[in-house]
Amino acid sequence: MQTYQPKRSWDPIVTYWNGVYFLYCLETYQEGPPFWLKKNHLHLYKSTNLKSWIDCGPVLFPKDDQEILCAGSIMVKEPYLFYFYSAATLIKINENTPREKCLADQELRLARSTDGIHFENCDNFQLRPDPLLYPSGRQHPVENRSLYAWRDPYIFHCQSTQNYYIYIVTGGGLWKNSPRIAVARSQNIEGPYELLEPALKIANIQGFSSSFCGELEKIDIKYLNGIYYLFGSCWERGLTEEFKSFLKSKNLPFSNYNTYVFRSNHPEGPFELLTENPIIKYRYSWIYPGIYGKYFYEDSDGSILVCGWRPPLFRLWVGKSLKLTFNKRQELFMLNYPVKLCFHILINHGLTTKAGKVLYRLNRALKIHGWTKMIPLLIDSNKSIKS
């Protein structure tokens, strides 16, 4: 598995087009928190093997300094590569409001490219929230209108209905309402799109009094064995104590790196949380790869590969070693990776487990004293172990 460290980068997405992997991510040159409010752009890296990457530079920019780009998704429909994304206009409460205290007014956009590098915005594309279906509890400080969470669009083509669907992150604690997943459909990839009832109205399980999280983002959809599965991420700080107790009762971890799983019999929903297996599990229970905002893409051999990023290091993760597998009988999703990768993660990045902390410190101490070959030899000795 490759760990790739450009600038401060997050929310990567990958596609394979004309024999080349295109990796897009959000990127900023500015330091300090909060990273998502910094001046940013969409950056492109290309590779033929998912190992060595060519830095193609920024490919899409905000309109001005008061605008930031948010996550998106991509789909290739010849002759174009379409990039559905979101942008947020930062609004000051008063003249002295610092950037980190600004309100965000979010909207969706669409850009297309014939080479994956040079993009043109599709100005006719519009998909705004309906206040009756998707109310907001946050108001513009001056204008008489609501401000919306309306971001992270995910584009999906359904073979059975022959429709294109866009899933949109909306709601959340900052907007003083429950997180929801909106959905819109169209027969054409560029629209127009018809906004429907929420695909996911409340991120909840039966018996809970409210949504189990304050925010749900980085949506992905997969269709497997007649069922539509929706994946989403949430920061640990947004989980309710009730839900944390539920995860503990099932001996499941709760961290920033969990990916939550929902299911539905129809692409338009409603989606419900898998109560038996609510998160993607890991092949080795003693290590939790620190990957947030996982994005799954089907490689040329049919396997589902994983990419994402690791806060707070802003490392991008992508490669052929980390794969998503599905157990139909148990309706269980699992991240699979070989033992060699397991040691690599623990030694270099495994700060989320006790074993990871021990091996990381041991590796660091050995390097300081010149014993740089010890851990690599330990890793190589496991090549004979079946993955």
Side-chain angles (χ1 to χ4, degrees):
M1 182 179 189
Q2 282 297 116
T3 58
Y4 188 69
Q5 175 103 49
K7 296 84 181 174
R8 288 163 59 88
S9 308
W10 65 97
D11 288 348
I13 53 176
V14 174
T15 194
Y16 188 72
W17 189 29
N18 296 329
V20 178
Y21 290 96
F22 289 74
L23 185 150
Y24 298 93
C25 65
L26 296 177
E27 198 162 280
T28 181
Y29 295 98
Q30 295 182 326
E31 299 290 335
F35 65 91
W36 60 86
L37 290 180
K38 303 301 180 183
K39 298 176 183 178
N40 65 1
H41 59 265
L42 183 71
H43 210 95
L44 169 63
Y45 298 89
K46 294 169 62 176
S47 173
T48 57
N49 55 15
L50 291 178
K51 293 181 179 180
S52 56
W53 294 89
I54 299 173
D55 186 343
C56 299
V59 295
L60 200 62
F61 292 90
K63 291 181 178 179
D64 53 46
D65 288 346
Q66 287 305 113
E67 185 176 272
I68 55 175
L69 300 185
C70 304
S73 63
I74 46 183
M75 178 175 287
V76 174
K77 184 175 174 60
E78 296 292 354
Y80 296 111
L81 182 149
F82 290 92
Y83 180 60
F84 292 80
Y85 68 105
S86 43
T89 301
L90 302 182
I91 301 172
K92 291 186 175 183
I93 301 174
N94 56 58
E95 292 183 358
N96 299 319
T97 303
R99 192 177 181 89
E100 62 270 16
K101 298 293 184 180
C102 287
L103 304 178
D105 193 17
Q106 300 174 343
E107 64 178 58
L108 301 189
R109 292 183 187 158
L110 173 60
R112 68 185 186 185
S113 173
T114 56
D115 60 5
I117 299 176
H118 304 91
F119 283 87
E120 60 175 357
N121 274 300
C122 302
D123 295 330
N124 292 330
F125 174 80
Q126 290 185 349
L127 184 52
R128 296 190 175 96
D130 183 336
L132 297 179
L133 294 176
Y134 303 96
S136 173
R138 182 170 261 190
Q139 298 295 310
H140 194 286
V142 178
E143 303 173 12
N144 185 25
R145 63 181 179 90
S146 298
L147 301 179
Y148 287 92
W150 199 248
R151 68 179 189 280
D152 295 7
Y154 182 86
I155 181 68
F156 175 77
H157 182 252
C158 178
Q159 294 292 338
S160 61
T161 66
Q162 287 299 301
N163 285 326
Y164 291 91
Y165 291 94
I166 298 179
Y167 300 85
I168 310 151
V169 169
T170 184
L174 291 177
W175 282 264
K176 302 178 182 178
N177 53 18
S178 296
R180 299 183 178 189
I181 303 301
V183 61
R185 71 181 173 205
S186 174
Q187 293 184 339
N188 301 303
I189 190 170
E190 295 189 57
Y193 282 85
E194 176 189 4
L195 192 60
L196 308 174
E197 293 277 346
L200 177 62
K201 193 168 186 178
I202 299 180
N204 205 357
I205 60 177
Q206 190 173 4
F208 276 37
S209 57
S210 61
S211 175
F212 72 76
C213 62
E215 186 176 54
L216 193 67
E217 56 186 1
K218 287 297 295 175
I219 300 305
D220 201 333
I221 302 286
K222 288 291 175 284
Y223 178 69
L224 296 169
N225 300 300
I227 301 295
Y228 298 87
Y229 294 94
L230 183 151
F231 307 94
S233 296
C234 172
W235 298 100
E236 180 186 341
R237 63 176 179 268
L239 300 179
T240 64
E241 293 302 319
E242 188 179 22
F243 187 65
K244 289 181 180 179
S245 297
F246 168 77
L247 292 177
K248 285 182 180 179
S249 70
K250 299 181 71 66
N251 294 319
L252 295 175
F254 51 88
S255 73
N256 288 333
Y257 312 121
N258 283 359
T259 300
Y260 300 95
V261 186
F262 304 80
R263 75 188 300 274
S264 175
N265 293 322
H266 196 276
E268 298 172 15
F271 284 85
E272 297 180 351
L273 184 72
L274 285 181
T275 53
E276 290 303 314
N277 296 300
I279 67 173
I280 293 177
K281 296 183 179 180
Y282 302 96
R283 181 177 181 182
Y284 302 104
S285 60
W286 42 279
I287 177 176
Y288 314 123
I291 303 174
Y292 184 78
K294 299 177 186 67
Y295 180 86
F296 309 107
Y297 62 104
E298 188 170 331
D299 203 21
S300 55
D301 61 0
S303 61
I304 301 177
L305 307 184
V306 184
C307 72
W309 67 286
R310 176 177 166 80
L313 302 176
F314 295 96
R315 280 199 176 101
L316 303 184
W317 295 71
V318 59
K320 289 182 175 291
S321 298
L322 191 60
K323 299 180 180 180
L324 180 71
T325 59
F326 177 64
N327 184 315
K328 180 181 178 181
R329 183 176 59 84
Q330 295 181 318
E331 205 164 15
L332 169 68
F333 287 92
M334 182 172 290
L335 287 184
N336 277 280
Y337 40 92
V339 173
K340 181 178 179 180
L341 173 63
C342 182
F343 273 101
H344 171 77
I345 294 173
L346 279 172
I347 292 166
N348 294 289
H349 317 284
L351 304 181
T352 56
T353 63
K354 291 181 179 179
K357 291 179 180 179
V358 171
L359 284 177
Y360 179 83
R361 290 169 181 168
L362 173 61
N363 187 43
R364 184 178 178 184
L366 290 173
K367 284 183 177 179
I368 291 174
H369 291 86
W371 292 81
T372 57
K373 296 293 184 181
M374 183 65 71
I375 295 300
L377 286 173
L378 179 63
I379 295 174
D380 291 338
S381 68
N382 285 277
K383 286 184 177 181
S384 60
I385 301 176
K386 290 185 178 180
S387 300

